[in-house]
Amino acid sequence: MSLEFNVINKENVSPSLLTKENLNLRQGEFLVMNSIMHLHKYVRESRGSLKAILQAIRKLNPALLTVVEQDANHNGPFFLGRFLESLHYYSAIFDSLEASLPRSSLQRIKIESSHFAEQIHNIVASEGSDRVERHEKADQWRRQLGRAGFQIVGLLTNYPEIFLALASFFFISYLLKHKNQVLVQWPILGTVPSILFNSTCLHDWFTEVLKGSRGTVLLTGPWFTKTDAFLTCDPANVHHILVTKFTNYPKGPEYSEKFDVLGDGIFNSDSTSWMMQRRMAQAHMSSNAFRQCLARTSREMVEKRLMPTLEHACDEGRIVDLQDVMLRFTFDNACALIFGVEPRCLSIDFPVVPFAKALDDVEEAIVFRYIVPGKLWKLLRWMKIGKERKLVKAKETIDKFISQCISVKLEELKRVPKEIREKNEAEKGKDLLTSYMDSTLSEPEMEGLKYFKFLRDTTLNLLIAGRDTTSASLTWFFWLVAKNPSVETKIIEELRTKCQHVESRKLVGFETSDLCGLVYLHAALCESLRLYPPLPIDQKGVLRPDVLPSGDAIKPGEMIMYSIYAMGRMEWIWGEDCLEFKPERWITKENELKFEPPNKFVAFNAGPRSCLGKDIAFTQMKAVATAVLYNFHVQVVEGHQVSPNTSVMLFMKHGLKVRLIKRQ
């Protein structure tokens, strides 16, 4: 689209000048005329001059005429009226100047003397044809334009293409003006456009923002909305939020609403409900019966599911998405530990499991809720369209699966005699659903639908924690090891040194007892979690006014987020080599594991909400890592792009495509 500008730069424009010939108009051209602070000079006492100008413009048949004028009544016939009107109008302007520019400012002196002084003098002291500053109210302009044949139109409704063009011009101009800024504060919209522009690389962008803002920054939402949020990676702030003032920073209703699919489970709960659920989870997960179940299940899943699948892919020379393999493995493993069932999601034919697919759809919808304004996704939820429609269907699939598991388990508890069950549990251990049922069936308040909902919410929360965090952590670990051959060599050497008693079999797996003394492997896992934490960012609500150690004042109703991903990339936290994968930073001179405070290494949270499954996670990760690395060399496909996805959990955007080579 070509544009041509014709500026009429004359003090007095006559109707004879406003013709198609003088303006060089061609047939079929789209004419837009713009008058800025000029037409009021043709308002005479007889109004004939203005009428002639407007009629000449009307004959040109412009598609659009824009008129910019002061909304003031400076055309009265009497001196006193003009004086009082000018006094009130220009006093407001001078008050604005007083607030924005000092009196000694050359810019202010020039504005006052060359512009406003001449206007005021002409309005107050001139009469007749000498008085040209004849400003009128907006209603009077509408009537004058209407009599000349013009129709008042809304720019957005009648000419959306012009509105979009003007908006695009403003948008591009503003963007170019602030192109060197990482975080741009937009008029009206706050930082929302900046977040949307960088939504495909959000975690890395947050890191750059925090590097240039002392570790804490305010992300503003649109005007007239309560969506401001503080983003921090300062360990002092994190300790303050998670430990010192823990009760002042709950999950909050906004978090629970976004994660409503989790129900009233431990991740969504606060206060008394959270304390009760945490006590129960801690008791069940630390019981001997569950620990026995954990050891047996982890070993069997590795030997009977993971190793055969990887061996089959290796023998066929297939390229494998190791992220998909880890997700399938941890899903099967978590279902076995929690429900006592094995969906067989991980097998050589990689079947589609509706329940696993439903969990992926849930996480996708939750990410969408974080990116778009709350009113929009709530409207979509009410209309049941888009991501929210997928979420509804996913929730139905999840509820159906869990309901079947609970029903089968209840029937089993009623059908199998207690003596036989206790004998089986002594040999194989007890899954978490059975453990919860044994402890709650006798409680009257857990009856009926309330009982089913409690079991549903509890098991779903545990399943998501066991599936996603471990699979994401293992995926990034294998990628880092593949990119750092020296680390891989040291892990293999440690395994061969510490586990010499392991019998030589076709594919070697390790007992839980073999994994405890692997210092270098543990350090490598910690280093991987430092750089790529499975939960890259978390949020808290605010109950009472507070001041963070960084000096930032927090108000009730605001949200505060802490970026665990960014913390691992700050030189002032981890040193100049913070971007390097160095397991040695976790090992002392005595070859022992080095302790790092939880507010610095937040992969397993800190304070009262610290992760209950930390030991379980390390046990499972070590079992998988040792089995895979001891038996196979993992080779990332050349040219495969690896980058974090913008998701609730830190998965890889394009998966992890690898080839597996058997070790001799």
Side-chain angles (χ1 to χ4, degrees):
M1 181 176 64
S2 60
L3 298 175
E4 183 178 330
F5 295 91
N6 193 336
V7 180
I8 303 175
N9 190 15
K10 290 191 176 183
E11 186 67 25
N12 292 308
V13 178
S14 63
S16 60
L17 183 63
L18 300 175
T19 63
K20 292 183 178 180
E21 293 75 18
N22 289 334
L23 297 179
N24 195 26
L25 292 179
R26 291 180 286 274
Q27 185 69 26
E29 282 189 324
F30 188 89
L31 176 62
V32 175
M33 300 192 71
N34 183 29
S35 171
I36 300 177
M37 309 299 288
H38 193 79
L39 284 180
H40 70 273
K41 296 182 179 181
Y42 300 97
V43 179
R44 302 286 190 262
E45 293 178 2
S46 64
R47 297 190 182 275
S49 179
L50 176 63
K51 182 178 179 181
I53 292 292
L54 292 178
Q55 287 177 347
I57 295 174
R58 188 70 185 88
K59 288 180 181 179
L60 294 172
N61 194 29
L64 184 67
L65 168 65
T66 60
V67 178
V68 180
E69 292 290 348
Q70 292 184 20
D71 188 15
N73 187 16
H74 295 157
N75 193 31
F78 303 109
F79 164 79
L80 183 59
R82 298 199 307 272
F83 176 80
L84 293 175
E85 182 71 23
S86 300
L87 178 64
H88 294 148
Y89 182 85
Y90 287 101
S91 292
I93 293 178
F94 288 130
D95 287 343
S96 299
L97 285 172
E98 185 73 23
S100 57
L101 293 172
R103 295 187 181 185
S104 59
S105 169
L106 295 177
Q107 185 180 6
R108 174 176 171 178
I109 293 172
K110 185 176 180 180
I111 292 172
E112 290 177 337
S113 61
S114 302
H115 186 60
F116 294 126
E118 293 181 4
Q119 282 190 15
I120 296 170
H121 181 272
N122 188 266
I123 293 169
V124 175
S126 300
E127 293 292 350
S129 59
D130 293 334
R131 182 154 57 86
V132 295
E133 301 294 346
R134 295 175 178 266
H135 309 114
E136 293 189 326
K137 302 291 286 185
D139 290 341
Q140 186 65 27
W141 279 108
R142 291 190 184 97
R143 286 192 290 270
Q144 290 291 336
L145 291 166
R147 294 191 189 105
F150 293 96
Q151 182 181 359
I152 305 298
V153 297
L155 188 61
L156 178 60
T157 55
N158 294 74
Y159 293 95
E161 64 277 9
I162 297 178
F163 175 82
L164 289 174
L166 292 173
S168 300
F169 175 77
F170 168 78
F171 172 81
I172 295 172
S173 300
Y174 197 87
L175 188 61
L176 291 174
K177 183 179 178 182
H178 299 85
K179 63 180 180 179
N180 294 325
Q181 297 182 18
V182 180
L183 178 65
V184 179
Q185 294 281 353
W186 291 82
I188 301 176
L189 300 176
T191 57
V192 172
S194 295
I195 295 172
L196 293 176
F197 296 153
N198 295 279
S199 60
T200 56
C201 55
L202 197 59
H203 302 303
D204 287 313
W205 180 70
F206 276 160
T207 301
E208 293 304 311
V209 169
L210 290 167
K211 281 182 180 178
S213 56
R214 301 180 297 108
T216 304
V217 66
L218 176 63
L219 303 176
T220 57
W223 291 357
F224 313 113
T225 63
K226 298 179 179 179
T227 54
D228 290 356
F230 278 92
L231 175 68
T232 186
C233 67
D234 188 336
N237 287 345
V238 173
H239 182 78
H240 183 84
I241 296 164
L242 300 182
V243 182
T244 308
K245 293 291 186 71
F246 168 75
T247 56
N248 192 45
Y249 297 97
K251 288 283 188 178
E254 185 177 345
Y255 182 95
S256 301
E257 190 172 24
K258 284 177 179 157
F259 287 82
D260 54 3
V261 70
L262 297 180
D264 299 320
I266 190 169
F267 294 144
N268 258 4
S269 300
D270 284 309
S271 189
T272 306
S273 174
W274 167 77
M275 292 175 64
M276 181 271 292
Q277 293 190 61
R278 184 175 175 86
R279 283 197 300 267
M280 292 184 69
Q282 190 169 23
H284 295 311
M285 293 170 69
S286 60
S287 67
N288 292 330
F290 175 71
R291 291 289 172 167
Q292 185 178 359
C293 176
L294 171 66
R296 176 186 58 82
T297 302
S298 299
R299 183 180 65 254
E300 290 181 355
M301 285 292 177
V302 168
E303 293 182 356
K304 297 180 180 179
R305 292 285 175 264
L306 181 61
M307 288 295 103
T309 302
L310 295 181
E311 185 180 29
H312 180 266
C314 179
D315 292 342
E316 291 195 346
R318 290 170 52 186
I319 293 176
V320 177
D321 182 356
L322 202 55
Q323 178 169 264
D324 183 43
V325 172
M326 291 299 108
L327 268 169
R328 290 172 178 273
F329 169 79
T330 54
F331 176 71
D332 283 350
N333 194 58
C335 285
L337 291 172
I338 295 169
F339 300 110
V341 300
E342 188 182 337
R344 294 181 179 271
C345 186
L346 179 62
S347 61
I348 59 175
D349 54 347
F350 291 91
V352 175
V353 177
F355 183 52
K357 177 65 169 60
L359 292 176
D360 294 336
D361 291 340
V362 165
E363 292 187 3
E364 185 180 335
I366 291 174
V367 171
F368 179 75
R369 288 179 173 184
Y370 267 97
I371 293 176
V372 303
K375 291 184 179 180
L376 176 58
W377 71 257
K378 290 175 185 177
L379 175 63
L380 297 177
R381 180 177 64 179
W382 179 73
M383 298 175 68
K384 294 183 179 180
I385 59 176
K387 303 284 186 186
E388 294 297 321
R389 179 180 177 84
K390 289 179 67 176
L391 181 61
V392 170
K393 292 184 176 180
K395 186 175 180 297
E396 291 174 353
T397 302
I398 290 170
D399 290 346
K400 181 179 178 181
F401 177 86
I402 296 179
S403 178
Q404 289 176 344
C405 290
I406 294 173
S407 299
V408 170
K409 188 66 66 174
L410 279 172
E411 181 63 28
E412 180 183 319
L413 292 178
K414 293 177 181 178
R415 178 173 47 83
V416 179
K418 184 178 180 180
E419 296 78 13
I420 298 177
R421 283 201 300 113
E422 289 178 348
K423 181 181 178 181
N424 291 335
E425 290 168 2
E427 296 176 356
K428 299 181 179 181
K430 184 192 294 187
D431 60 77
L432 285 175
L433 180 58
T434 303
S435 183
Y436 270 92
M437 285 182 167
D438 284 343
S439 65
T440 58
L441 272 174
S442 58
E443 299 181 18
E445 67 271 16
M446 301 304 293
E447 295 178 357
L449 294 176
K450 186 177 179 181
Y451 176 63
F452 263 80
K453 186 179 186 308
F454 168 76
L455 292 176
R456 180 264 183 201
D457 294 347
T458 299
T459 53
L460 177 59
N461 279 249
L462 294 173
L463 177 65
I464 290 178
R467 168 193 182 244
D468 293 349
T469 56
T470 307
S471 62
S473 301
L474 283 168
T475 303
W476 287 107
F477 170 78
F478 285 124
W479 176 70
L480 288 169
V481 170
K483 290 297 181 181
N484 293 270
S486 62
V487 174
E488 181 183 22
T489 300
K490 291 178 182 178
I491 292 174
I492 299 301
E493 288 176 353
E494 183 180 54
L495 283 172
R496 288 172 176 166
T497 302
K498 297 288 182 68
C499 305
Q500 294 179 354
H501 63 281
V502 176
E503 61 178 291
S504 178
R505 290 176 290 177
K506 187 177 180 182
L507 290 175
V508 176
F510 295 86
E511 299 290 338
T512 304
S513 57
D514 297 328
L515 308 175
C516 298
L518 301 175
V519 174
Y520 193 83
L521 175 62
H522 192 102
L525 288 168
C526 288
E527 181 70 347
S528 175
L529 291 168
R530 178 185 71 84
L531 287 169
Y532 297 98
L535 184 66
I537 193 168
D538 203 359
Q539 73 172 67
K540 298 288 183 180
V542 182
L543 290 181
R544 296 175 296 277
D546 194 16
V547 178
L548 298 176
S550 59
D552 298 286
I554 307 293
K555 295 180 291 186
E558 289 182 334
M559 182 172 66
I560 184 163
M561 302 183 293
Y562 54 98
S563 175
I564 308 169
Y565 182 89
M567 289 181 73
R569 286 161 171 73
M570 294 294 153
E571 290 186 4
W572 53 280
I573 298 177
W574 290 98
E576 294 181 357
D577 60 351
C578 62
L579 298 181
E580 297 180 28
F581 180 60
K582 291 178 61 176
E584 288 77 11
R585 78 174 79 241
W586 294 87
I587 302 174
T588 66
K589 294 179 180 179
E590 294 76 23
N591 200 37
E592 296 178 350
L593 288 170
K594 184 187 298 183
F595 171 78
E596 292 290 356
N599 62 311
K600 180 181 177 182
F601 178 58
V602 202
F604 294 97
N605 217 319
R609 277 192 181 267
S610 57
C611 179
L612 290 172
K614 179 179 178 180
D615 293 339
I616 297 173
F618 270 117
T619 299
Q620 292 183 330
M621 287 191 293
K622 288 177 182 179
V624 174
T626 52
V628 173
L629 294 179
Y630 197 83
N631 294 287
F632 301 98
H633 168 64
V634 179
Q635 187 179 72
V636 179
V637 173
E638 186 177 353
H640 177 65
Q641 294 184 351
V642 173
S643 59
N645 193 17
T646 301
S647 53
V648 178
M649 295 293 172
L650 194 67
F651 292 116
M652 291 183 178
K653 188 178 296 185
H654 309 291
L656 181 59
K657 301 299 178 64
V658 302
R659 286 187 175 89
L660 298 170
I661 303 170
K662 280 185 181 179
R663 295 191 187 276
Q664 298 301 321

